[in-house]
Amino acid sequence: MNANIKDVAREAGVSIATVSRFINQNGYVAATTAEKIENAISKLRYHPKKELRKLSNTKAIGIIFPSIKNPLFSELFTYLEINLKKKGYNCTLFIDNDENHKLEDYISLIFDGQIRGIINSSPLKANKVNYPGIPIVTFDRNLGPNIPLISCNNLDGGFKIAKAVVAKKCKKILILSGNRQDYFPITDRIKGMMRVFNYHDLEIKTAYTDFESSEITRKIQIDGLIKDKKYDAICTTDDITALFVREQAKLINYQPIITGFDGTEFISHLFPELITVRQPTEELANLLVKLCLSQIENYRDNIEKKYILPVKLINN
Amino acid sequence: MNANIKDVAREAGVSIATVSRFINQNGYVAATTAEKIENAISKLRYHPKKELRKLSNTKAIGIIFPSIKNPLFSELFTYLEINLKKKGYNCTLFIDNDENHKLEDYISLIFDGQIRGIINSSPLKANKVNYPGIPIVTFDRNLGPNIPLISCNNLDGGFKIAKAVVAKKCKKILILSGNRQDYFPITDRIKGMMRVFNYHDLEIKTAYTDFESSEITRKIQIDGLIKDKKYDAICTTDDITALFVREQAKLINYQPIITGFDGTEFISHLFPELITVRQPTEELANLLVKLCLSQIENYRDNIEKKYILPVKLINN
């Protein structure tokens, strides 16, 4: 027999309202109480999802992305939508790039019956609680040890890019991050590059241009970095930054090797000479959908917590 | 007192199921029966929406776009999402570019309680029935005389572009449509251009490249059109086609004046020398939201059926 919320409340010696508050993360629960509830949930193998199923007939999966102006996300969304539609689900798309926003606010939409599960790629704040029974899967942002995390092999992508750059005999290299350098998955991409560059006698400079600042600010930042034309190669951490670099370089008649990351169809066709790494967006989307829906139907306990898909170098 | 579906059935002398089938458009209703029901609806001033409101607590507005890989739609969606979020609604995004698909299939999602209203920009098949009481608003695609249609001033956009091209003393001009030429709003853009070009002694050729074909096919098509380098200006009907033209022209060292249409921030920053027309995406989104929500709260009878927002020439 399956435990319900009443059983959990009884076992933990607290009210149903408190358990609900704990699960929904929508109110204060003292640390000692939270521990009692966690123990009760764990002992009774309680899964709120079983109750969720009764709450709503919604067929919507909540997709939380930091932006869809970036072609990586519009391509990924397109594949997610095709795949979910085939399985009878709709996509409710939230654009959220605010690190102060909480995952719980989206989880409460599941309890409200607005969505059935979550596919996330926004830098949201998540509690240490594992959100038992809530169908969540995340791409590129770590939401905690128990929520399945999917990404491409960013480390290997950086590695492949750097090998291509070294093969072109570049000596002076600017690594230009499209975001803060401590921001996952940028870190892994740069780490991958450095594993190659460190083995060679090269002059490496790193810098970053803030993705969140206005496009004009980014252009000024890039212009300041490249105006001396001293780099043989400029290795960026995403294709959009690479495109900006190309545009600014063109204005000063400067043609360094430029590398990007993501390799969407849109960018590859606009910028065919770009050295980049293709994220397997279709496979990523299929896996995200599979893991999200399998949590709606079954339990998260049975699935792996980390998935890394291979990347492909695009080097014309 | 408000009429309900029973009153309509009694008035029309048909079953409730038949009225429901007529309203939902999910089954066969004979033409004569449809006319009886239409008359009954009209006489009783029946609005199915009043019943819809009880069906569901969903906060989702269905947004139907042909693509989000086109920056126009990703920019428009971003503004729609911001605006709807402020008003307490979520966005369920459907990607659909199939002209054989029916608007009714999306309307049935309203009756299923999956969405509350529809903001459409896909080339869907719509019946002549006016979908009384169903909150729908459409951008750039005509769904029938009673559904509010919003677009930018495509005619004036074409006009402004052509004036800019003539001012640059171009004599030989290729008008390159990014889609079939009979496809709204392409038609109006070209019409606007011709109003200017026809007043001057110019050599005009028109051609089109099919948006739906693969990017490689489009490149081959474009290459065939421009390889003689004989045009002073190439006027496309959207910025993406303009970007493709620039890339192909670059390969053969050819620098004609290139014009686009849409003027999204994304493209304007990547291709700053592009002459284009900016669609007022933020204003378009705000109006689409306002008209959709006002139908959820009130009735469509009270609102205008056609809205044309002004455009701005971007000519650096």
Side-chain angles (χ1 to χ4, degrees):
Chain A
M1 209 198 76
N2 296 313
N4 63 27
I5 193 166
K6 280 187 201 166
D7 301 323
V8 174
R10 198 181 306 120
E11 176 71 29
V14 301
S15 70
I16 293 173
T18 307
V19 177
S20 163
R21 222 162 46 237
F22 172 82
I23 293 168
N24 288 281
Q25 302 290 320
N26 62 1
Y28 176 74
V29 176
T32 50
T33 311
E35 206 184 319
K36 280 183 203 160
I37 297 172
E38 277 190 336
N39 291 338
I41 284 173
S42 168
K43 184 175 166 190
L44 299 172
R45 301 188 65 75
Y46 167 69
H47 286 277
K49 183 184 43 60
K50 290 205 176 154
E51 303 195 47
L52 290 180
R53 212 176 296 175
K54 293 173 229 152
L55 279 175
S56 158
N57 69 344
T58 184
K59 288 170 189 155
I61 301 297
I63 295 174
I64 318 169
F65 275 180
S67 163
I68 52 158
K69 292 186 188 173
N70 182 328
L72 174 70
F73 287 109
S74 56
E75 186 170 304
L76 191 59
F77 179 85
T78 302
Y79 284 122
L80 287 172
E81 204 263 350
I82 291 169
N83 196 319
L84 282 165
K85 191 186 281 165
K86 273 186 206 155
K87 299 193 161 92
Y89 287 89
N90 305 326
C91 298
T92 297
L93 177 56
F94 302 93
I95 307 296
D96 194 339
N97 199 23
D98 191 330
E99 292 175 34
N100 296 314
H101 286 180
K102 292 175 188 163
L103 177 59
E104 289 123 55
D105 291 339
Y106 292 98
I107 288 178
S108 73
L109 295 176
I110 297 182
F111 284 87
D112 280 355
Q114 299 296 326
I115 53 177
R116 285 287 291 274
I118 291 172
I119 295 175
N120 174 67
S121 191
S122 285
L124 299 171
K125 263 191 197 156
N127 281 12
K128 71 176 176 77
V129 191
N130 286 326
Y131 309 104
I134 311 282
I136 312 177
V137 57
T138 184
F139 170 65
D140 264 1
R141 320 281 168 204
N142 198 341
L143 293 178
N146 206 32
I147 294 177
L149 170 63
I150 294 165
S151 66
C152 77
N153 197 333
N154 290 294
L155 202 70
D156 186 50
F159 192 87
K160 285 189 157 95
I161 292 257
K163 288 220 306 190
V165 166
V166 167
K168 287 185 188 289
K169 317 271 183 224
C170 299
K171 293 290 175 200
K172 294 185 179 185
I173 295 160
L174 173 65
I175 296 178
L176 181 59
S177 169
N179 213 314
R180 297 188 316 277
Q181 285 167 39
D182 61 347
Y183 193 80
F184 186 80
I186 306 288
T187 354
D188 274 3
R189 295 177 190 173
I190 295 176
K191 236 187 252 169
M193 292 179 199
M194 292 310 293
R195 282 195 190 167
V196 175
F197 291 150
N198 282 340
Y199 275 86
H200 295 83
D201 184 28
L202 305 169
E203 198 182 314
I204 308 286
K205 183 181 157 73
T206 59
Y208 78 88
T209 162
D210 194 0
F211 212 91
E212 255 121 295
S213 62
S214 74
E215 277 159 337
I216 290 160
T217 310
R218 297 189 77 193
K219 283 189 174 182
I220 295 168
Q221 291 173 335
I222 291 168
D223 195 47
L225 289 163
I226 67 170
K227 65 174 190 291
D228 298 339
K229 304 186 186 184
K230 68 177 177 190
Y231 303 106
D232 307 316
I234 299 173
C235 300
T236 71
T237 55
D238 65 282
D239 295 341
I240 304 296
T241 305
L243 268 169
F244 273 108
V245 169
R246 180 179 72 161
E247 291 308 307
Q248 291 311 102
K250 223 190 289 173
L251 295 176
I252 55 171
N253 241 321
Y254 171 37
Q255 295 186 323
I257 301 278
I258 300 173
T259 74
F261 206 104
D262 289 341
T264 57
E265 288 162 34
F266 185 83
I267 297 293
S268 297
H269 283 95
L270 279 182
F271 190 173
E273 70 276 24
L274 180 70
I275 297 173
T276 187
V277 148
R278 173 144 180 83
Q279 296 216 44
T281 43
E282 187 171 2
E283 290 78 8
L284 287 165
N286 293 351
L287 184 57
L288 286 162
V289 168
K290 190 180 147 192
L291 292 175
C292 184
L293 298 190
S294 77
Q295 289 178 69
I296 289 175
E297 300 306 325
N298 307 295
Y299 297 137
R300 199 191 296 157
D301 305 355
N302 310 321
I303 60 177
E304 292 289 327
K305 299 303 174 294
K306 210 168 173 188
Y307 298 79
I308 297 175
L309 300 196
V311 293
K312 205 177 128 190
L313 183 72
I314 299 178
N315 180 11
N316 294 306
Chain B
M1 211 201 74
N2 296 313
N4 63 29
I5 193 165
K6 279 185 204 169
D7 302 324
V8 174
R10 198 181 306 120
E11 177 71 30
V14 300
S15 71
I16 294 174
T18 307
V19 178
S20 164
R21 219 158 50 236
F22 172 82
I23 294 167
N24 287 282
Q25 300 291 319
N26 60 4
Y28 176 74
V29 177
T32 51
T33 312
E35 205 184 320
K36 280 182 204 160
I37 299 172
E38 277 190 336
N39 291 338
I41 285 173
S42 169
K43 182 174 168 191
L44 299 172
R45 299 188 64 76
Y46 167 68
H47 285 278
K49 184 186 43 54
K50 287 202 176 153
E51 303 195 44
L52 288 181
R53 210 176 297 176
K54 293 173 225 151
L55 279 177
S56 160
N57 69 345
T58 185
K59 288 169 188 154
I61 301 297
I63 295 172
I64 318 171
F65 276 0
S67 162
I68 52 159
K69 291 186 187 174
N70 183 328
L72 173 70
F73 288 108
S74 56
E75 187 170 303
L76 191 61
F77 179 85
T78 302
Y79 284 123
L80 287 172
E81 204 264 351
I82 290 169
N83 196 320
L84 282 165
K85 192 186 281 167
K86 273 187 204 153
K87 299 190 162 93
Y89 287 89
N90 305 327
C91 298
T92 296
L93 176 56
F94 301 92
I95 308 296
D96 194 338
N97 200 24
D98 191 330
E99 291 175 33
N100 296 314
H101 285 179
K102 293 174 185 163
L103 177 59
E104 291 125 52
D105 291 338
Y106 293 98
I107 288 177
S108 72
L109 295 176
I110 298 182
F111 284 87
D112 280 353
Q114 298 297 326
I115 54 176
R116 286 288 290 274
I118 291 173
I119 296 174
N120 173 67
S121 191
S122 286
L124 298 172
K125 262 191 197 154
N127 281 12
K128 71 177 176 73
V129 191
N130 287 325
Y131 309 104
I134 311 281
I136 312 178
V137 57
T138 184
F139 170 64
D140 264 0
R141 321 280 168 206
N142 198 341
L143 294 179
N146 206 32
I147 294 176
L149 169 64
I150 294 165
S151 67
C152 77
N153 198 331
N154 290 295
L155 202 70
D156 185 50
F159 192 86
K160 286 190 157 94
I161 292 258
K163 289 221 305 192
V165 166
V166 167
K168 287 185 188 289
K169 317 270 182 225
C170 299
K171 293 289 175 201
K172 294 185 179 183
I173 295 161
L174 173 66
I175 298 179
L176 181 60
S177 169
N179 214 315
R180 295 189 316 277
Q181 285 168 39
D182 61 346
Y183 192 79
F184 184 81
I186 306 287
T187 352
D188 274 3
R189 295 178 190 170
I190 295 176
K191 238 188 250 170
M193 290 180 199
M194 292 310 292
R195 282 196 190 167
V196 177
F197 291 149
N198 282 339
Y199 275 89
H200 294 84
D201 183 26
L202 305 169
E203 195 182 317
I204 307 285
K205 182 181 158 70
T206 58
Y208 78 88
T209 161
D210 193 359
F211 212 90
E212 254 122 291
S213 62
S214 74
E215 277 159 337
I216 289 161
T217 310
R218 296 188 77 192
K219 282 187 176 184
I220 295 168
Q221 291 173 334
I222 292 168
D223 195 46
L225 289 162
I226 68 171
K227 66 175 190 290
D228 298 339
K229 304 186 186 185
K230 67 177 178 192
Y231 303 107
D232 306 318
I234 299 172
C235 299
T236 71
T237 54
D238 66 281
D239 295 343
I240 304 294
T241 305
L243 268 169
F244 273 107
V245 169
R246 180 179 70 161
E247 291 308 308
Q248 292 309 103
K250 223 190 290 172
L251 296 176
I252 55 171
N253 240 323
Y254 171 38
Q255 297 186 323
I257 302 278
I258 300 173
T259 75
F261 206 105
D262 290 341
T264 56
E265 288 164 33
F266 185 83
I267 297 292
S268 297
H269 283 96
L270 280 182
F271 190 173
E273 71 275 25
L274 181 70
I275 297 172
T276 188
V277 149
R278 174 146 179 82
Q279 295 216 45
T281 44
E282 187 171 2
E283 290 78 7
L284 287 166
N286 293 350
L287 184 56
L288 287 163
V289 168
K290 190 179 145 193
L291 292 176
C292 184
L293 298 189
S294 78
Q295 289 179 70
I296 290 174
E297 300 306 325
N298 307 294
Y299 297 139
R300 200 193 292 159
D301 304 356
N302 310 320
I303 59 178
E304 292 288 328
K305 299 301 176 289
K306 209 167 173 189
Y307 298 81
I308 296 175
L309 300 196
V311 294
K312 207 178 128 188
L313 184 72
I314 299 177
N315 181 10
N316 292 306

